[in-house]
Each structure stands twice: as structure tokens, then as C-alpha cells.
Amino acid sequence: MADLKYDKKTGRLLFTKQMKREYTILMPNMAPIHFKMLKNVFVHYGYKAELLETTGPEIAQTGLKYVHNDTCYPALLVIGQLIDAIKNGGYDPHKVALFIT
């Protein structure tokens, strides 16, 4: 398992070369053509990346459950899609990185 390294100033978890081999990057499907190209770029450079294609009212409900209701609707959908993938997509929650713009 990859060693977790944190930025000393901000405390943020850093994505390391070792994590590149072990982690799956989950990408929301905000703009299908653009994000499909972006996913392919990540894969080309050796990352494990998955473009999430789940849709439906349950994605919005999941987003509403975890974010404030004043959050913009696209962000609510993206967050719902990411959380749904972790809960129901068969991904190990300790081995994923979430991609959000």
C-alpha cells in the first residue's frame, strides 16, 4: 500500500507515483466529449482512470443528501455521482482519488 504523504503547509494529501499504480481516479461526466479525452490522456500516462456514466434522479438525491441545498445544480450532480460510485460502484474507498474541476 502506498505511503500517504501530506503537504506540510496545507495539510493536503499528495498524489504520489506509488499511488499512481494502486489508485483509481474517478472522474465525473460533466462534459462527455471533453472528459472522455481527458480520461484517455490520464490512461495514456499510466493512471487508472474511470469516467463515471451513472445518471438518474438517484444521483441528484445522493448529492442533496451530502451537500448544502444552495450548492449549484451541476456541482450537486457531480458530488452525487462521485459518492454513488464509491458507495455502489465496487471501488475500494481507500484506493480512489476523486477528480473534480
Side-chain angles (χ1 to χ4, degrees):
M1 184 163 181
D3 293 329
L4 301 180
K5 296 186 181 188
Y6 295 89
D7 183 278
K8 290 181 177 132
K9 289 183 180 181
T10 63
R12 293 179 62 182
L13 179 63
L14 302 174
F15 197 90
T16 64
K17 286 183 181 181
Q18 189 177 11
M19 291 170 80
K20 181 178 177 178
R21 292 185 294 272
E22 298 177 11
Y23 280 60
T24 302
I25 301 171
L26 300 180
M27 304 173 73
N29 198 2
M30 292 177 62
I33 294 170
H34 301 96
F35 275 63
K36 191 174 280 189
M37 284 191 301
L38 191 57
K39 177 210 171 229
N40 290 335
V41 169
F42 273 80
V43 170
H44 177 77
Y45 284 97
Y47 292 90
K48 290 190 246 177
E50 294 287 332
L51 183 62
L52 303 175
E53 298 191 16
T54 50
T55 60
E58 62 278 352
I59 298 301
Q61 291 304 315
T62 301
L64 279 169
K65 182 176 179 182
Y66 291 98
V67 298
H68 191 273
N69 64 354
D70 283 342
T71 302
C72 73
Y73 194 68
L76 184 127
L77 292 176
V78 165
I79 294 165
Q81 197 174 42
L82 292 169
I83 292 171
D84 179 71
I86 292 170
K87 287 183 146 192
N88 304 316
Y91 300 102
D92 179 355
H94 301 289
K95 296 281 185 166
V96 295
L98 304 178
F99 181 92
I100 191 166
T101 56

